[in-house]
Amino acid sequence: MASSKTPSIHLNLNVRGLKQSATLRINEESNNLLRSGHRVFKLGLGQSPFPVPTPVVDELKVNAHQKDYLPVMGLRELRGAVADFHNRTQHERFSPDGVMIGPGSKELMFILQLVYYGDLVIPTPSWVSYAPQAHIVGRHIRWLPTSVDDGWRLTPERLHKLCSDDPDRPRLFILNYPSNPTGMTYKAEELRAIATTARKYRVLFLSDEIYGELHHRGQHISIGRYYPEGTIISSGLSKWCGAGGWRLGTFTFPEELNWLKDAMGVVASETYTSTSAPIQYAAVRAFQSDIVIEEYLWNIRRILRRLGRVLAQRLSDAGVRISEPQGGFYLFPDFSPFREDLKERGIETSEEFCRRLLKETGVAALPGSDFGHSEDALTVRLAYVDFDGTRALVAAEQIPPQKSLDDGFLEMYCHNCLEGIDRICNWIQG
Ligand code: GLU
């Protein structure tokens, strides 16, 4: 057995040199700074600030006694509720048998990458864990660039260009929208065009829709509508239900991909066995939804929409390149207009930018390089979640639906986010 002194030569080559995931590292670093008395603006980890809806918490309490192992693919009732959820919101035709439940969608993604033998294709920027997972299981990674001028959206032409070079190569493409890290989403016609290209080259699609219910206008469209036979839809409780720490993720497969689902079930049975029973029982309530959950979603969307717009505007007024977020709780500013000034201050990479930003202003953020951008791209991800979501939600519920939330509301309930952004603006200008 290796001791803690054993050199890394005994580590699997694929994990040698890998660091803990950036999202978790920045959270620990921020908490350590807070504990040692520093003021920190926690815009690093992307965790929902909102509480889990009360009916879902109540359901968990009632089911605390559930202690048996559940089937590896998940609780039958939950699989049905998840299928119904997609059928209801996206007009799909999934059956409960098409649903797989896991301890977080991150784990399901890892197993998918393990069982599927093909290249991983992801846009730059993409969420921090897709590429390391591919690296761990030894898959090739192909990045497809996007630009701030295209609102960080992938174009079908890019996908076509990659696939046409070697049309028969097996590929897994992960598309995540509303996007972490950019906050952008796609229109129906854009999804249709991407779906056409994906079908042409038989690309396996993983549509990561974990932020789907956080589309700021509640108008999320799944690409599964246009490429049903090749798309797996990924979702879970972490973002829209505020329950990241509950660790519950879902994959929903069309019948054509049963072979893949079954293979994932085999690996799941040899690894995590099944997902926590009480959490699965409670999740049924979340996916069934009702007027309480609909109102909860309506109000959190309203807060995130208004806050995202104001923060993006402040950054834009300060000369930063940024697009207004359309879903989720992320901003992805590009500080390249300040490149020369920053260089004079010894800052030439996004990593150095974030290190100095935290040290000099207390704002925690993640560098674009963690999302697949080149070191010198000067892009940064900001998770605008540093506020008391319970307090903000209760206050928003008192404001009539036809009235929009004003600056006074944001100042009162989301102050740290505003101050964090103001600190960034002053810091880059100064
Ligand atoms: N998705 C969240 C983020 O990007 C954190 C969860 C995780 O990395 O596991 O910050």
Side-chain angles (χ1 to χ4, degrees), residues 82 85-86 92 94 98-100 102 104-110 112 127 130 173-178 205-213 220 222-224 231-237 239-240 248-254 264 287:
V82 172
F85 166 83
H86 291 303
E92 306 262 8
F94 293 116
V99 176
M100 178 172 187
S105 53
K106 193 173 186 173
E107 181 66 22
L108 293 175
M109 285 167 193
F110 182 72
L112 175 65
W127 177 52
Y130 304 135
F173 183 92
I174 306 185
L175 190 67
N176 162 234
Y177 66 97
F205 243 73
L206 178 67
S207 185
D208 181 353
E209 303 182 18
I210 193 87
Y211 299 93
E213 291 301 287
H220 175 71
S222 174
I223 195 165
T231 302
I232 306 167
I233 302 178
S234 176
S235 184
L237 294 185
K239 310 301 177 184
W240 67 267
L248 185 127
T250 69
F251 266 20
T252 305
F253 297 77
M264 285 185 63
F287 281 100

Side-chain angles (χ1 to χ4, degrees), residues 23 44-46 106 127 180 211 239 330 381:
T23 51
L45 176 71
K106 193 173 186 173
W127 177 52
N180 174 3
Y211 299 93
K239 310 301 177 184
Y330 301 109
R381 188 194 79 171

Side-chain angles (χ1 to χ4, degrees), residues 93-322:
R93 299 166 77 175
F94 293 116
S95 91
D97 292 329
V99 176
M100 178 172 187
I101 309 296
S105 53
K106 193 173 186 173
E107 181 66 22
L108 293 175
M109 285 167 193
F110 182 72
I111 294 184
L112 175 65
Q113 296 218 47
L114 183 78
V115 302
Y116 184 72
Y117 192 78
D119 289 355
L120 173 71
V121 183
I122 40 178
T124 39
S126 274
W127 177 52
V128 297
S129 289
Y130 304 135
Q133 288 189 349
H135 191 78
I136 292 167
V137 297
R139 301 283 175 262
H140 288 292
I141 304 164
R142 302 297 304 264
W143 295 94
L144 292 179
T146 65
S147 76
V148 67
D149 299 326
D150 291 335
W152 303 116
R153 275 182 203 80
L154 176 81
T155 60
E157 291 75 30
R158 293 263 189 212
L159 185 60
H160 168 78
K161 192 164 178 293
L162 175 85
C163 296
S164 57
D165 278 352
D166 186 358
D168 294 322
R169 201 173 175 84
R171 297 181 174 95
L172 164 64
F173 183 92
I174 306 185
L175 190 67
N176 162 234
Y177 66 97
S179 158
N180 174 3
T182 69
M184 53 56 86
T185 191
Y186 291 88
K187 296 198 194 87
E189 60 269 26
E190 292 163 337
L191 293 170
R192 226 181 259 126
I194 295 171
T196 304
T197 308
R199 177 175 290 122
K200 179 169 177 194
Y201 295 105
R202 294 179 304 282
V203 176
L204 173 65
F205 243 73
L206 178 67
S207 185
D208 181 353
E209 303 182 18
I210 193 87
Y211 299 93
E213 291 301 287
L214 294 186
H215 184 295
H216 291 171
R217 299 200 175 273
Q219 292 168 353
H220 175 71
I221 302 171
S222 174
I223 195 165
R225 289 195 200 183
Y226 309 115
Y227 183 38
E229 73 278 18
T231 302
I232 306 167
I233 302 178
S234 176
S235 184
L237 294 185
S238 302
K239 310 301 177 184
W240 67 267
C241 200
W246 287 21
R247 309 309 302 131
L248 185 127
T250 69
F251 266 20
T252 305
F253 297 77
E255 250 180 63
E256 290 84 344
L257 298 178
N258 271 346
W259 56 276
L260 198 53
K261 182 192 67 189
D262 293 345
M264 285 185 63
V266 171
V267 176
S269 77
E270 300 289 10
T271 52
Y272 66 77
T273 304
S274 61
T275 305
S276 161
I279 299 291
Q280 291 202 55
Y281 281 96
V284 174
R285 186 72 182 73
F287 281 100
Q288 277 171 346
S289 193
D290 65 1
I291 185 74
V292 179
I293 293 178
E294 280 308 316
E295 277 179 18
Y296 162 92
L297 280 173
W298 194 88
N299 277 302
I300 67 177
R301 285 174 189 146
R302 171 192 205 198
I303 297 169
L304 293 174
R305 180 172 71 230
R306 178 78 188 139
L307 182 58
R309 170 179 294 177
V310 167
L311 299 178
Q313 190 60 51
R314 288 192 186 186
L315 285 160
S316 167
D317 291 346
V320 180
R321 300 180 82 198
I322 185 160

Side-chain angles (χ1 to χ4, degrees), residues 26 65 70 88 100 210 235 318 332 402 425:
I26 190 71
H65 68 282
L70 292 178
R88 190 173 65 242
M100 178 172 187
I210 193 87
S235 184
F332 198 66
Q402 61 282 9
C425 293

Side-chain angles (χ1 to χ4, degrees), residues 14-67:
N14 291 355
V15 300
R16 223 178 273 178
L18 285 187
K19 289 196 242 156
Q20 202 186 93
S21 185
T23 51
L24 305 176
R25 263 189 292 135
I26 190 71
N27 197 38
E28 285 184 22
E29 194 178 343
S30 307
N31 288 341
N32 288 342
L33 284 168
L34 277 172
R35 267 195 295 273
S36 57
H38 291 84
R39 178 119 195 250
V40 180
F41 298 83
K42 291 181 67 179
L43 310 186
L45 176 71
Q47 161 157 272
S48 167
F50 299 105
V52 179
T54 310
V56 183
V57 174
D58 290 343
E59 203 60 31
L60 181 61
K61 289 181 189 161
V62 170
N63 282 287
H65 68 282
Q66 303 283 359
K67 62 169 197 59

